[in-house]
Amino acid sequence: KQDTIQSLVKTRKPIPQNITELTGITQIMIDNEGEPLKEVLEEFSAFIGDLRLVTFNDEFDMAFLQAAAKSCEMKQFNNPVSCALKMARRAWPKRRSFKLDDLASDGQFKKGAAHRALEDAHRTVIVYAAAVAELKTIK
């Protein structure tokens, strides 16, 4: 069993309909369960400590995370990072699709709520673990 963390962040702008359709996150959920960004980032920072972060698209994910930290006047995240997408491209260069859902379904990972942080994190770990086994490296 893994320890997990998941939070909804209060937004300054209303949740667009296309985001609700993509993620299932509604404005009502944000209004009722959302927490301020700084609180969520502080909780996340304490949770990860100095552990390696595994992302699916490190440039996007880390830029997003660093921008959020900067906007809250917090220190930047300096954790080591491994990118499951880059590793998958090296491990299986002849694949036609490198979408997270496609890669994870090849590993027979059951479908859950795509584009939700915890489900996408589970999918990323499946892809990462398979790529580590194939490439014999963690990055």
Side-chain angles (χ1 to χ4, degrees), residues 121-136:
H122 284 141
R123 285 182 180 88
T124 298
V125 167
I126 296 294
V127 172
Y128 176 71
V132 164
E134 182 74 18
L135 296 171
K136 312 274 190 277

Side-chain angles (χ1 to χ4, degrees), residues 19 22-25 100-101 112-120 123:
I19 297 299
L22 180 67
T23 65
I25 298 171
L100 181 55
D101 262 356
H115 300 289
R116 292 295 299 271
L118 194 53
E119 289 296 329
D120 283 355
R123 285 182 180 88

Side-chain angles (χ1 to χ4, degrees), residues 58-111:
D58 63 341
E59 284 94 4
F60 176 83
D61 292 341
M62 293 310 296
F64 189 86
L65 185 60
Q66 301 297 25
K70 184 176 181 179
S71 76
C72 292
E73 299 178 348
M74 293 177 60
K75 69 177 181 69
Q76 295 290 287
F77 290 88
N78 292 315
N79 300 60
V81 178
S82 291
C83 181
L85 175 58
K86 287 178 181 174
M87 291 179 65
R89 286 182 172 148
R90 288 194 343 257
W92 309 291
K94 295 182 180 176
R95 284 189 60 91
R96 288 182 179 212
S97 171
F98 287 93
K99 290 181 181 176
L100 181 55
D101 262 356
D102 295 340
L103 287 161
S105 68
D106 287 355
Q108 300 177 353
F109 182 74
K110 67 179 178 126
K111 288 207 174 248

Side-chain angles (χ1 to χ4, degrees), residues 1 9 41 49 55 64 81-82 114 117 130-131:
K1 182 179 187 274
V9 175
L41 286 175
T55 69
F64 189 86
V81 178
S82 291

Side-chain angles (χ1 to χ4, degrees), residues 14 16 23 31-32 34-35 42-44 51-52 57 76 84 86 91 119 133:
T23 65
D31 293 343
N32 293 337
E35 302 172 53
E42 288 170 344
E43 184 181 4
F44 178 70
L51 295 173
R52 175 173 297 278
N57 180 345
Q76 295 290 287
K86 287 178 181 174
E119 289 296 329

